[in-house]
């Protein structure tokens, strides 16, 4: 018999999102200091920060988070501060949305609040 999915824990999801925002901001600072060769890393971190920031308020239920991520994915373009390459940033955002959407669908991974994932 298949194991039942774990109960949705909105507090744990919010804590995970907040930890990702903090980690992304830290990564952006490190990438900024690294100069030109780390601009893509800065864009990746900015994409992670943007996605987590925009969906944090929707973490009350699994379906609300999934809906917020779907709505975000339906947007045509993404505007955020400190972006170096808009096309790459757009790809990073869409990839990160898919990652979080998969986590939300399976309700797994929100307990891992380490900096590097």
């Amino acid at each position: 018999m298949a194991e039942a999915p774990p109960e949705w824990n909105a507090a744990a999801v919010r804590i995970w999102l907040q930890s990702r925002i903090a980690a992304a901001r830290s990564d952006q600072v490190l990438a900024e200091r690294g100069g030109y060769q780390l601009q893509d890393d800065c864009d990746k971190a900015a994409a992670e920060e943007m996605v987590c920031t925009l969906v944090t308020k929707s973490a009350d239920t699994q379906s609300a988070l999934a809906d917020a991520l779907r709505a975000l994915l339906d947007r045509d373009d993404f505007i955020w501060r400190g972006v170096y390459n808009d096309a790459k940033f757009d790809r990073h955002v869409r990839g990160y949305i898919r990652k979080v959407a998969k986590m939300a669908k399976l309700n797994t991974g929100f307990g891992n609040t380490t900096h590097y994932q």
Side-chain angles (χ1 to χ4, degrees):
M1 186 186 283
E3 189 176 317
E7 183 91 15
W8 184 256
N9 185 343
V13 173
R14 273 192 222 88
I15 289 169
W16 183 84
L17 289 167
Q18 291 299 326
S19 72
R20 297 313 314 149
I21 291 168
R25 288 178 181 165
S26 172
D27 291 347
Q28 286 176 69
V29 170
L30 291 173
E32 288 283 341
R33 291 179 182 164
Y36 179 77
Q37 64 270 18
L38 294 181
Q39 286 180 350
D40 190 51
D41 290 348
C42 189
D43 286 351
K44 283 180 187 176
E48 182 178 8
E49 179 190 4
M50 187 192 91
V51 171
C52 291
T53 299
L54 294 177
V55 300
T56 297
K57 292 181 181 174
S58 303
D60 291 334
T61 65
Q62 193 171 8
S63 62
L65 182 59
D67 290 344
L69 289 164
R70 250 185 255 102
L72 198 54
L73 197 54
D74 288 342
R75 287 174 53 175
D76 289 332
D77 60 347
F78 302 99
I79 299 173
W80 199 251
R81 64 186 162 12
V83 174
Y84 290 101
N85 185 316
D86 290 334
K88 285 185 179 182
F89 177 73
D90 189 70
R91 279 195 304 272
H92 294 316
V93 168
R94 292 184 188 286
Y96 200 76
I97 291 170
R98 286 190 291 276
K99 173 190 172 179
V100 177
K102 183 177 179 182
M103 289 174 63
K105 180 180 179 184
L106 300 175
N107 193 15
T108 58
F110 293 112
N112 181 6
T113 57
T114 58
H115 184 100
Y116 297 104
Q117 295 187 9

